[in-house]
Amino acid sequence: MIQLFHVYKTYERDTPALVDVSVTVERGEFVFLAGQSGAGKSTLLRLLYAAEQPTAGQILVNNVNIARLGSAGVSAMRREIGVVFQDFRLIPWYTIYDNVALAIEVAGRGRGMIRGRVLAWLEHVGLAHKFRAYPRQLSGGEQQRVAIARAMVIDPILVLADEPTGNLDPEITMDVIALFHEVNARGTTVVFATHDRSILQSHHKRIITLAKGRVME
Amino acid sequence: MGYFAVKAARNFSRNLLVNGICVATIAIAVFIFSATLLLFLNASAVVEHAARGNRLIVYLRDTALPVDVERVMLALRAQSEVESVEYTSKDRALADFKRSLGPAAGLLEGLEMNPLPASVDVTLKPSAGGLRAVEALAGRVSAMDGVESANYGREVFERLERFMRFLHRLGIGVAVLMVLAVIFIVANTIRLNIYSRREEIEVQQLVGAGGWFIRAPFLMEGAMQGLLGGLLAEMLLLAAYAVVAGAGRSLVTPFGEIRSQFLSPAALAGFAAASTVLGGLGSWLSLGKHIKKFIPQ
Ligand SMILES: Nc1ncnc2c1ncn2[C@@H]1O[C@H](COP(=O)(O)OP(=O)(O)OP(=O)(O)O)[C@@H](O)[C@H]1O
Ligand SMILES: [Mg+2]
């Protein structure tokens, strides 16, 4: 699903964020991306959904070289990938329903189908009754569940999560991770970045560790 | 299309103050232009009416002898384009003038002599050919013995024509300003809206929205601002017209009474459409310039 070959990333005139990273993630795998703050976890994920271009090296996502994608190709690729962040990134003036529906609407699908799927996912994360509410009316954990519903509602082939539990208390963290396990069980590849040791220890999955931009697997 | 229109309408109402100011400013710009056009339209109706003029007043010299008057009358009646001829003596002229003064007529009591000339009122046949025929006849009559002058409102007509040329130039200038103003106002408002919605744009991109998916609501919003501004301007214009001229009321002019007229439905529709297109154009220009920061090309 993901192949990186000798990837380097240096932000403008800075010390490198990624150095000679070569990693493979198989289809259907669940991997944790570990490493201390500043190790390059977010940078690696941003390369995967083409928010950044690598300084050197090749990246294949679903067998497509993302360096060769034009902006239309990047958009098309993102419609198959779900991304979840620590800070949720919900649109404040969209209702919960509209926030989730947006992910399908960008693909220009029919309305009836959108409604059914959005409500099914909101039901699944336990927020169907709040579909008319706005993000600020929800707790952090609830907002993160909305963001996860948005990522999952498109039936993504790949889910990228950048410390999605960073702002949540331990109990809710378990619920959220369970959701990722569940979509993984249905065949979606998951890359989950975190620096929380307790998460890494309590789930027996492959861990890719970054330190100062290098892979320490 | 409907999806984006709903989105644009929602965005519009979310930023009601900024968008409202934008619409009001567009309305002022369109109002100024359409008011100039309306003025031009009515003034040209007066000119047209005047050009169809069929009246000539021939003033006679005080020294003219009755035979001269008789000869002038006969000559005028002999003209094929003349329909009727009516003589007004000096005394009649003074009496008419006194009557028109009403209670103020006492002012004329001390008058030792009658300052008003005798005159002949000539009406031409409708088929005569309008102002040109009147002008030609005036030229011939002026040369006759006993005739002081032949008046057919020439100065007023010429002044009116000059005013029309001025209005024409003004209209073109105002039109150019209106076009630039609407584009500029919308472009500026859309710029503000792009920045105030950058979170939305970023999330849209994250979930794989294409450039058009992101741009379309802004384009429609600009067009909507143009349309609303145009319609508001037309309502203002109609209100102003009702106050100033009253629907269908007559305008009193030196060439007789003329019915005032409002812009045609086609012109009104044209204004609204033009304003809509200009709004869309303003939005498009703004998107070209500012959305790059949020959508990598
Ligand atoms: N946009 C940027 N411009 C310049 N430098 C950046 C940028 N983003 C990240 N960096 C640098 O790249 C390095 C890796 O950052 P990155 O955000 O990938 O770390 P991280 O592992 O996600 O850390 P954290 O756990 O704190 O989120 C850091 O040294 C950071 O300062
Ligand atoms: Mg990070």
Side-chain angles (χ1 to χ4, degrees), chain A residues 91-165:
Chain A
I91 301 170
W93 51 88
Y94 277 33
T95 60
I96 298 314
Y97 177 89
D98 287 335
N99 265 287
V100 177
L102 179 66
I104 320 183
E105 284 166 354
V106 296
R109 301 281 165 70
R111 257 170 195 262
M113 171 271 212
I114 292 178
R115 196 172 170 81
R117 279 173 62 174
V118 170
L119 290 178
W121 261 101
L122 283 175
E123 182 80 60
H124 195 71
V125 298
L127 290 170
H129 59 294
K130 296 209 169 172
F131 76 103
R132 280 209 184 92
Y134 288 88
R136 72 186 129 72
Q137 299 169 309
L138 269 54
S139 72
E142 289 172 332
Q143 289 187 49
Q144 191 59 294
R145 269 141 61 199
V146 174
I148 291 170
R150 180 179 68 195
M152 306 305 183
V153 75
I154 56 170
D155 277 334
I157 54 169
L158 171 65
V159 170
L160 305 173
D162 192 353
E163 304 197 40
T165 57

Coordinates of all heavy atoms in Angstrom, one line a residue, chain A residues 91-165:
Chain A
I91 N -15.0 21.9 10.2 CA -15.4 23.3 9.8 C -16.4 23.8 10.8 O -17.5 23.3 10.9 CB -15.9 23.3 8.4 CG1 -14.9 22.7 7.4 CG2 -16.3 24.7 7.9 CD1 -15.5 22.4 6.0
P92 N -16.0 24.9 11.5 CA -16.9 25.3 12.7 C -18.3 25.7 12.3 O -19.2 25.5 13.0 CB -16.1 26.6 13.2 CG -14.8 26.6 12.5 CD -14.9 25.7 11.3
W93 N -18.5 26.2 11.0 CA -19.8 26.7 10.7 C -20.6 25.7 9.8 O -21.6 26.0 9.3 CB -19.7 28.0 9.9 CG -18.8 28.0 8.8 CD1 -19.0 27.7 7.5 CD2 -17.4 28.4 8.8 NE1 -17.9 27.8 6.7 CE2 -16.9 28.3 7.5 CE3 -16.6 28.9 9.8 CZ2 -15.6 28.6 7.2 CZ3 -15.2 29.2 9.5 CH2 -14.8 29.0 8.2
Y94 N -20.1 24.4 9.8 CA -20.8 23.3 9.2 C -21.4 22.5 10.3 O -20.8 22.4 11.4 CB -19.9 22.4 8.4 CG -19.6 22.8 7.0 CD1 -19.5 24.1 6.6 CD2 -19.3 21.8 6.0 CE1 -19.1 24.5 5.3 CE2 -19.0 22.1 4.7 CZ -18.9 23.5 4.4 OH -18.5 23.8 3.1
T95 N -22.6 22.0 10.1 CA -23.2 21.1 11.1 C -22.3 19.8 11.1 O -21.5 19.6 10.2 CB -24.6 20.7 10.8 OG1 -24.7 20.1 9.5 CG2 -25.5 21.9 10.8
I96 N -22.5 19.0 12.1 CA -21.9 17.7 12.2 C -22.2 16.9 10.9 O -21.3 16.3 10.3 CB -22.4 16.9 13.4 CG1 -22.0 17.7 14.7 CG2 -21.8 15.5 13.5 CD1 -20.6 18.2 14.8
Y97 N -23.4 16.9 10.5 CA -23.8 16.2 9.3 C -23.0 16.7 8.1 O -22.5 15.9 7.4 CB -25.3 16.4 9.1 CG -25.8 15.7 7.8 CD1 -26.2 14.4 7.8 CD2 -25.8 16.4 6.6 CE1 -26.5 13.7 6.6 CE2 -26.1 15.8 5.4 CZ -26.5 14.4 5.4 OH -26.9 13.8 4.3
D98 N -23.0 18.0 7.9 CA -22.4 18.6 6.8 C -20.9 18.4 6.8 O -20.2 18.2 5.7 CB -22.6 20.1 6.7 CG -24.1 20.4 6.2 OD1 -24.7 19.5 5.6 OD2 -24.6 21.5 6.6
N99 N -20.3 18.4 8.0 CA -18.8 18.1 8.1 C -18.5 16.7 7.5 O -17.5 16.5 6.8 CB -18.4 18.2 9.5 CG -17.8 19.6 9.8 OD1 -16.7 19.9 9.4 ND2 -18.5 20.4 10.6
V100 N -19.3 15.7 7.9 CA -19.1 14.4 7.4 C -19.5 14.2 6.0 O -18.7 13.6 5.2 CB -19.9 13.4 8.3 CG1 -19.7 11.9 7.8 CG2 -19.4 13.5 9.8
A101 N -20.6 14.8 5.6 CA -21.1 14.7 4.2 C -20.1 15.3 3.2 O -20.0 14.7 2.1 CB -22.5 15.4 4.1
L102 N -19.4 16.3 3.6 CA -18.4 17.0 2.7 C -17.5 16.0 2.0 O -17.2 16.1 0.8 CB -17.6 18.0 3.5 CG -16.6 18.7 2.7 CD1 -17.2 19.6 1.6 CD2 -15.7 19.6 3.5
A103 N -17.0 15.0 2.8 CA -16.1 14.0 2.3 C -16.6 13.2 1.1 O -15.9 12.9 0.2 CB -15.6 13.0 3.4
I104 N -18.0 13.0 1.1 CA -18.6 12.3 0.0 C -19.0 13.3 -1.1 O -18.9 13.0 -2.3 CB -19.8 11.5 0.4 CG1 -19.6 10.8 1.7 CG2 -20.1 10.4 -0.7 CD1 -20.8 9.9 2.1
E105 N -19.4 14.5 -0.7 CA -19.9 15.4 -1.7 C -18.8 15.8 -2.7 O -19.1 16.1 -3.8 CB -20.4 16.7 -0.9 CG -21.7 16.5 -0.3 CD -22.1 17.6 0.7 OE1 -21.2 18.5 1.0 OE2 -23.2 17.6 1.2
V106 N -17.6 15.9 -2.2 CA -16.5 16.3 -3.1 C -16.3 15.3 -4.3 O -15.8 15.7 -5.3 CB -15.1 16.4 -2.4 CG1 -15.2 17.5 -1.4 CG2 -14.7 15.1 -1.8
A107 N -16.8 14.1 -4.1 CA -16.7 13.1 -5.2 C -18.0 13.3 -6.1 O -18.0 12.6 -7.1 CB -16.6 11.7 -4.6
G108 N -18.9 14.2 -5.7 CA -20.0 14.4 -6.6 C -21.0 13.2 -6.7 O -21.6 12.9 -7.7
R109 N -21.2 12.6 -5.5 CA -22.2 11.4 -5.5 C -23.6 11.9 -5.3 O -23.8 13.1 -5.0 CB -21.8 10.5 -4.3 CG -20.4 9.9 -4.4 CD -20.4 8.8 -5.4 NE -19.0 8.4 -5.7 CZ -18.1 7.9 -4.8 NH1 -18.6 7.6 -3.6 NH2 -16.9 7.6 -5.2
G110 N -24.5 11.0 -5.5 CA -26.0 11.3 -5.4 C -26.3 11.6 -3.9 O -25.7 11.0 -3.0
R111 N -27.3 12.4 -3.7 CA -27.7 12.9 -2.4 C -28.2 11.8 -1.5 O -27.9 11.7 -0.3 CB -28.9 13.9 -2.5 CG -28.3 15.2 -2.3 CD -29.3 16.3 -2.7 NE -28.5 17.5 -2.7 CZ -28.3 18.4 -1.7 NH1 -29.0 18.2 -0.6 NH2 -27.6 19.4 -1.9
G112 N -29.1 10.9 -2.0 CA -29.7 9.9 -1.2 C -28.7 9.0 -0.6 O -28.7 8.7 0.6
M113 N -27.7 8.6 -1.4 CA -26.7 7.7 -1.0 C -25.8 8.4 0.1 O -25.4 7.8 1.1 CB -25.9 7.3 -2.2 CG -24.6 6.6 -2.0 SD -23.3 7.7 -1.7 CE -22.0 6.8 -2.4
I114 N -25.6 9.7 -0.1 CA -24.8 10.4 0.9 C -25.5 10.4 2.2 O -24.8 10.0 3.2 CB -24.6 11.9 0.4 CG1 -23.7 12.0 -0.8 CG2 -24.0 12.7 1.6 CD1 -23.5 13.4 -1.4
R115 N -26.7 10.7 2.3 CA -27.5 10.8 3.5 C -27.4 9.5 4.3 O -27.1 9.5 5.5 CB -28.9 11.2 3.2 CG -29.6 11.7 4.5 CD -31.0 12.2 4.1 NE -31.7 12.4 5.4 CZ -31.5 13.5 6.2 NH1 -30.6 14.4 5.8 NH2 -32.1 13.6 7.4
G116 N -27.7 8.4 3.6 CA -27.7 7.1 4.3 C -26.3 6.8 4.9 O -26.2 6.4 6.0
R117 N -25.3 7.0 4.1 CA -24.0 6.7 4.6 C -23.5 7.6 5.8 O -22.9 7.1 6.7 CB -22.9 6.7 3.5 CG -23.1 5.4 2.7 CD -22.2 5.4 1.5 NE -20.8 5.5 1.8 CZ -19.9 5.5 0.8 NH1 -20.2 5.2 -0.4 NH2 -18.6 5.6 1.1
V118 N -23.8 8.9 5.6 CA -23.4 9.8 6.7 C -24.1 9.4 8.0 O -23.4 9.3 9.1 CB -23.7 11.3 6.3 CG1 -23.5 12.2 7.5 CG2 -22.8 11.7 5.1
L119 N -25.4 9.2 7.9 CA -26.1 8.9 9.1 C -25.7 7.6 9.7 O -25.6 7.4 10.9 CB -27.6 9.0 8.9 CG -28.1 10.4 8.6 CD1 -29.6 10.4 8.3 CD2 -27.9 11.3 9.8
A120 N -25.4 6.6 8.8 CA -24.9 5.3 9.3 C -23.6 5.5 10.1 O -23.4 4.9 11.2 CB -24.7 4.4 8.2
W121 N -22.7 6.3 9.6 CA -21.4 6.5 10.3 C -21.6 7.3 11.6 O -20.9 7.0 12.6 CB -20.3 7.1 9.4 CG -19.4 6.0 8.9 CD1 -19.5 5.4 7.6 CD2 -18.4 5.3 9.6 NE1 -18.6 4.4 7.6 CE2 -17.9 4.3 8.8 CE3 -17.9 5.4 10.9 CZ2 -16.9 3.5 9.2 CZ3 -16.9 4.6 11.3 CH2 -16.4 3.6 10.4
L122 N -22.4 8.3 11.5 CA -22.7 9.0 12.8 C -23.3 8.1 13.8 O -22.9 8.2 15.0 CB -23.6 10.3 12.5 CG -22.8 11.4 11.8 CD1 -23.8 12.5 11.5 CD2 -21.7 12.0 12.7
E123 N -24.2 7.3 13.4 CA -24.8 6.3 14.3 C -23.7 5.4 14.9 O -23.6 5.2 16.1 CB -25.7 5.4 13.5 CG -26.5 4.4 14.2 CD -27.7 5.0 14.9 OE1 -28.5 5.5 14.2 OE2 -27.7 4.9 16.2
H124 N -22.8 5.0 14.0 CA -21.7 4.1 14.4 C -20.8 4.7 15.5 O -20.3 4.0 16.4 CB -20.9 3.7 13.2 CG -20.0 2.5 13.5 ND1 -20.6 1.3 13.7 CD2 -18.7 2.4 13.6 CE1 -19.6 0.4 13.9 NE2 -18.4 1.1 13.9
V125 N -20.5 6.0 15.4 CA -19.6 6.6 16.4 C -20.5 7.2 17.5 O -20.0 8.0 18.4 CB -18.7 7.8 15.7 CG1 -17.8 7.1 14.7 CG2 -19.6 8.9 15.2
G126 N -21.8 6.9 17.5 CA -22.6 7.3 18.6 C -23.0 8.7 18.6 O -23.3 9.3 19.7
L127 N -23.1 9.4 17.5 CA -23.4 10.8 17.4 C -24.6 11.1 16.5 O -24.8 12.3 16.2 CB -22.2 11.6 17.0 CG -21.1 11.7 18.1 CD1 -19.8 12.3 17.5 CD2 -21.6 12.5 19.3
A128 N -25.4 10.1 16.1 CA -26.4 10.4 15.2 C -27.4 11.4 15.7 O -28.0 12.2 14.9 CB -27.2 9.1 14.8
H129 N -27.6 11.4 17.0 CA -28.6 12.3 17.6 C -28.1 13.8 17.6 O -28.9 14.7 17.8 CB -28.9 11.9 19.0 CG -27.7 11.9 19.9 ND1 -26.7 11.0 19.7 CD2 -27.4 12.7 21.0 CE1 -25.8 11.2 20.7 NE2 -26.2 12.2 21.4
K130 N -26.8 14.0 17.3 CA -26.3 15.3 17.3 C -26.0 15.9 15.9 O -25.2 16.8 15.7 CB -25.0 15.4 18.1 CG -25.3 15.1 19.6 CD -24.3 15.8 20.5 CE -24.7 15.6 21.9 NZ -23.7 16.1 22.9
F131 N -26.6 15.2 14.9 CA -26.1 15.6 13.5 C -26.4 17.0 13.1 O -25.8 17.6 12.2 CB -26.7 14.6 12.5 CG -28.2 14.8 12.2 CD1 -28.6 15.5 11.0 CD2 -29.2 14.4 13.0 CE1 -29.9 15.7 10.7 CE2 -30.5 14.6 12.8 CZ -30.9 15.3 11.6
R132 N -27.3 17.7 13.9 CA -27.6 19.1 13.5 C -26.8 20.0 14.4 O -26.8 21.3 14.1 CB -29.1 19.4 13.8 CG -30.0 18.9 12.7 CD -31.3 19.8 12.7 NE -32.2 19.4 11.7 CZ -33.2 18.5 12.0 NH1 -33.4 18.1 13.3 NH2 -34.0 18.1 11.1
A133 N -26.0 19.5 15.3 CA -25.2 20.4 16.2 C -24.0 20.9 15.4 O -23.7 20.4 14.3 CB -24.8 19.6 17.4
Y134 N -23.3 21.9 16.0 CA -22.1 22.4 15.4 C -20.9 22.0 16.3 O -21.1 21.7 17.4 CB -22.2 24.0 15.4 CG -23.1 24.4 14.3 CD1 -24.5 24.6 14.6 CD2 -22.7 24.7 13.0 CE1 -25.4 25.0 13.6 CE2 -23.5 25.0 12.0 CZ -24.9 25.2 12.3 OH -25.7 25.6 11.3
P135 N -19.7 21.9 15.7 CA -18.6 21.3 16.4 C -18.4 21.9 17.8 O -18.1 21.2 18.7 CB -17.4 21.6 15.5 CG -18.0 21.6 14.1 CD -19.4 22.2 14.3
R136 N -18.5 23.2 17.9 CA -18.2 23.8 19.2 C -19.2 23.4 20.3 O -18.9 23.5 21.5 CB -18.2 25.4 19.1 CG -19.6 26.0 19.0 CD -19.5 27.5 18.7 NE -20.3 27.8 17.6 CZ -21.6 27.8 17.5 NH1 -22.3 27.5 18.6 NH2 -22.3 28.2 16.4
Q137 N -20.3 22.8 19.9 CA -21.3 22.3 20.9 C -20.9 20.8 21.4 O -21.6 20.3 22.2 CB -22.7 22.3 20.3 CG -23.1 23.7 19.9 CD -24.4 23.7 19.1 OE1 -24.5 23.0 18.1 NE2 -25.4 24.5 19.5
L138 N -19.8 20.3 20.8 CA -19.4 18.9 21.1 C -18.1 18.9 22.0 O -17.3 19.8 21.9 CB -19.2 18.1 19.8 CG -20.3 17.4 19.2 CD1 -21.5 18.3 19.0 CD2 -19.9 16.7 18.0
S139 N -18.0 17.9 22.8 CA -16.7 17.7 23.5 C -15.6 17.3 22.6 O -15.9 16.9 21.4 CB -16.9 16.6 24.6 OG -16.9 15.4 23.9
G140 N -14.4 17.4 23.0 CA -13.2 17.0 22.2 C -13.4 15.6 21.7 O -13.1 15.3 20.5
G141 N -13.7 14.7 22.6 CA -13.9 13.3 22.1 C -14.9 13.1 21.1 O -14.8 12.4 20.1
E142 N -16.0 13.9 21.2 CA -17.1 13.8 20.3 C -16.7 14.4 18.9 O -16.9 13.8 17.9 CB -18.3 14.5 20.8 CG -19.0 13.8 21.9 CD -20.2 14.6 22.6 OE1 -20.1 15.9 22.6 OE2 -21.1 14.0 23.1
Q143 N -15.9 15.5 19.0 CA -15.5 16.1 17.7 C -14.5 15.1 17.0 O -14.6 15.0 15.8 CB -14.7 17.4 18.0 CG -15.7 18.5 18.5 CD -14.9 19.8 18.6 OE1 -14.2 20.3 17.7 NE2 -15.1 20.5 19.7
Q144 N -13.7 14.4 17.8 CA -12.8 13.5 17.1 C -13.5 12.4 16.5 O -13.2 11.9 15.4 CB -11.7 13.0 18.1 CG -10.6 12.3 17.5 CD -9.8 13.1 16.5 OE1 -10.3 13.5 15.5 NE2 -8.5 13.4 16.8
R145 N -14.6 11.9 17.1 CA -15.4 10.9 16.5 C -16.1 11.4 15.2 O -16.2 10.6 14.3 CB -16.5 10.4 17.5 CG -15.9 9.2 18.3 CD -16.3 9.2 19.8 NE -17.7 9.1 20.0 CZ -18.3 9.5 21.1 NH1 -17.6 9.9 22.1 NH2 -19.6 9.4 21.2
V146 N -16.4 12.6 15.2 CA -17.0 13.2 13.9 C -15.9 13.2 12.9 O -16.1 12.8 11.7 CB -17.5 14.6 14.1 CG1 -17.9 15.2 12.8 CG2 -18.7 14.7 15.1
A147 N -14.7 13.6 13.2 CA -13.6 13.6 12.3 C -13.3 12.2 11.8 O -13.0 12.0 10.6 CB -12.3 14.2 12.9
I148 N -13.4 11.2 12.7 CA -13.2 9.9 12.2 C -14.3 9.4 11.3 O -14.0 8.8 10.2 CB -13.1 8.9 13.5 CG1 -11.8 9.3 14.2 CG2 -13.1 7.5 13.0 CD1 -11.7 8.6 15.6
A149 N -15.5 9.8 11.6 CA -16.6 9.4 10.7 C -16.4 10.0 9.3 O -16.6 9.4 8.3 CB -17.9 9.9 11.3
R150 N -15.9 11.3 9.3 CA -15.6 11.9 8.0 C -14.5 11.2 7.3 O -14.6 11.0 6.0 CB -15.1 13.4 8.3 CG -14.8 14.1 7.0 CD -14.3 15.5 7.2 NE -13.0 15.6 7.9 CZ -12.6 16.6 8.5 NH1 -13.2 17.8 8.5 NH2 -11.4 16.6 9.1
A151 N -13.5 10.7 8.0 CA -12.4 9.9 7.3 C -12.9 8.6 6.8 O -12.5 8.1 5.7 CB -11.3 9.7 8.2
M152 N -13.8 8.0 7.5 CA -14.2 6.6 7.2 C -15.4 6.5 6.2 O -15.6 5.5 5.6 CB -14.7 5.9 8.5 CG -13.6 5.9 9.6 SD -12.0 5.2 9.0 CE -11.1 5.3 10.6
V153 N -16.2 7.6 6.2 CA -17.5 7.5 5.4 C -17.2 7.2 3.9 O -18.1 6.8 3.2 CB -18.3 8.8 5.6 CG1 -17.7 10.0 4.8 CG2 -19.7 8.6 5.3
I154 N -16.0 7.5 3.5 CA -15.7 7.3 2.0 C -15.2 5.9 1.8 O -14.8 5.5 0.7 CB -14.7 8.3 1.5 CG1 -13.4 8.2 2.4 CG2 -15.2 9.7 1.5 CD1 -12.2 9.0 1.8
D155 N -15.2 5.0 2.8 CA -14.6 3.7 2.7 C -13.2 3.7 2.1 O -12.9 3.2 1.1 CB -15.4 2.8 1.7 CG -16.6 2.2 2.5 OD1 -16.5 2.0 3.7 OD2 -17.6 1.9 1.8
P156 N -12.3 4.4 2.9 CA -11.0 4.7 2.4 C -10.1 3.4 2.3 O -10.4 2.4 3.0 CB -10.4 5.6 3.4 CG -11.1 5.2 4.7 CD -12.5 4.9 4.3
I157 N -9.2 3.4 1.3 CA -8.3 2.3 1.2 C -7.2 2.4 2.3 O -6.6 1.5 2.7 CB -7.6 2.2 -0.2 CG1 -7.0 3.5 -0.6 CG2 -8.7 1.8 -1.2 CD1 -6.1 3.4 -1.8
L158 N -7.0 3.7 2.7 CA -5.9 4.0 3.7 C -6.3 5.1 4.6 O -7.0 6.0 4.2 CB -4.7 4.5 2.9 CG -3.5 5.1 3.6 CD1 -2.8 4.0 4.5 CD2 -2.5 5.6 2.6
V159 N -6.0 4.9 5.9 CA -6.3 5.9 6.9 C -5.0 6.4 7.5 O -4.3 5.6 8.0 CB -7.3 5.4 8.0 CG1 -7.4 6.5 9.1 CG2 -8.7 5.2 7.4
L160 N -4.8 7.7 7.5 CA -3.6 8.3 8.2 C -4.1 9.0 9.4 O -5.0 9.9 9.3 CB -2.9 9.2 7.2 CG -2.5 8.7 5.8 CD1 -2.0 9.8 4.9 CD2 -1.5 7.5 6.0
A161 N -3.5 8.7 10.6 CA -4.0 9.4 11.8 C -2.8 10.0 12.4 O -1.8 9.3 12.7 CB -4.6 8.4 12.7
D162 N -2.8 11.3 12.6 CA -1.7 12.0 13.2 C -2.0 12.4 14.7 O -2.7 13.4 14.9 CB -1.4 13.3 12.4 CG 0.0 13.9 12.8 OD1 0.6 13.4 13.8 OD2 0.4 14.8 12.1
E163 N -1.6 11.6 15.6 CA -1.9 11.7 17.0 C -3.3 12.1 17.3 O -3.7 13.1 17.9 CB -1.0 12.8 17.6 CG 0.5 12.5 17.4 CD 1.4 13.3 18.2 OE1 1.1 13.5 19.4 OE2 2.5 13.7 17.8
P164 N -4.2 11.2 16.8 CA -5.7 11.6 16.9 C -6.2 11.5 18.4 O -7.2 12.1 18.7 CB -6.4 10.5 16.1 CG -5.4 9.3 16.2 CD -4.0 9.9 16.2
T165 N -5.4 10.9 19.3 CA -5.8 10.9 20.7 C -5.0 11.8 21.5 O -5.2 11.8 22.8 CB -5.6 9.4 21.2 OG1 -4.2 9.1 21.1 CG2 -6.5 8.4 20.5

